[in-house]
Amino acid sequence: MNRLSIREQILNFFFLMLIQLPLIHRITLFDQAFGFFYVGFLLLLPVNISRSYLMIIGFFSGLLVDVFSNTPGMHASACVFIMFFRNFWLSFINNDWRELPNLNILFLKTTGFFAFIFPLILVHHLVLFLVENGGFHFFGQIVARSFFSTLFSGLIIFLVNFTCSGNKKKA
């Protein structure tokens, strides 16, 4: 399979943001789990992008979410943080990560996909909720919100990726 083109990545990003931004405050489960599925776009960017560009893409993606959700810099900081560690974590999970055409469930396999996305989503949510809270006050609540939001966001990302990858496999 071929790598996704830049045009396809940009279209994916705008489609995802058109879905995410109007729903960002409406998708919650029991006021504990928040669906920040735009993180999946960032984590599944092509592997040939340098760390500097990944951090710039993460910053502007998070900043766009911040502008529309009135959260000054919280999403941007969390996105830059995970984009800094993304390739390191990918090399820890998969030794041959540079040869992968795309980061999706077909190439990482299900266990590799979960091992890749869930820890990074958890770190994103921990940073996001720590910055939102202004520190380690109510740490138990921060961990609970991060854990449940990670499960919720990861499930959405998995289902979208599984559905989209299944369509490409059939074609």
Side-chain angles (χ1 to χ4, degrees):
M1 273 193 178
N2 297 336
R3 295 183 191 270
L4 291 175
S5 70
I6 292 174
R7 191 175 128 239
E8 289 174 327
Q9 288 291 336
I10 292 170
L11 289 175
N12 286 343
F13 174 73
F14 283 116
F15 177 72
L16 185 64
M17 286 300 171
L18 281 174
I19 294 171
Q20 175 76 49
L21 292 175
L23 302 175
I24 198 164
H25 294 294
R26 292 180 179 91
I27 300 178
T28 59
L29 293 177
F30 309 112
D31 204 30
Q32 288 291 320
F34 299 89
F36 299 122
F37 52 90
Y38 74 94
V39 177
F41 168 79
L42 296 173
L43 294 178
L44 301 175
L45 283 170
V47 296
N48 59 346
I49 301 175
S50 73
R51 180 182 289 170
S52 301
Y53 288 129
L54 287 174
M55 291 172 62
I56 291 169
I57 293 168
F59 174 75
F60 284 112
S61 300
L63 190 62
L64 183 65
V65 174
D66 284 331
V67 166
F68 284 97
S69 60
N70 199 23
T71 53
M74 293 189 308
H75 290 273
S77 62
C79 290
V80 168
F81 192 79
I82 64 164
M83 295 312 281
F84 181 78
F85 291 108
R86 185 193 89 134
N87 286 351
F88 171 74
W89 184 248
L90 186 57
S91 67
F92 184 74
I93 296 299
N94 188 333
N95 292 334
D96 301 325
W97 67 281
R98 292 228 182 248
E99 282 86 39
L100 293 172
N102 291 318
L103 291 178
N104 61 30
I105 199 163
L106 292 176
F107 296 106
L108 290 173
K109 307 298 180 213
T110 304
T111 56
F113 186 79
F114 285 131
F116 173 60
I117 66 164
F118 274 104
L120 289 174
I121 294 172
L122 179 63
V123 168
H124 173 272
H125 291 350
L126 280 170
V127 170
L128 179 68
F129 293 135
L130 279 170
V131 171
E132 177 186 45
N133 195 35
F136 290 98
H137 313 294
F138 307 111
F139 188 70
Q141 183 182 6
I142 292 170
V143 170
R145 287 174 73 189
S146 298
F147 176 75
F148 292 122
S149 296
T150 297
L151 291 177
F152 187 47
S153 298
L155 180 65
I156 292 170
I157 293 166
F158 171 75
L159 291 174
V160 168
N161 195 273
F162 182 75
T163 305
C164 293
S165 296
N167 291 339
K168 290 180 182 180
K169 190 176 183 181
K170 293 174 187 174

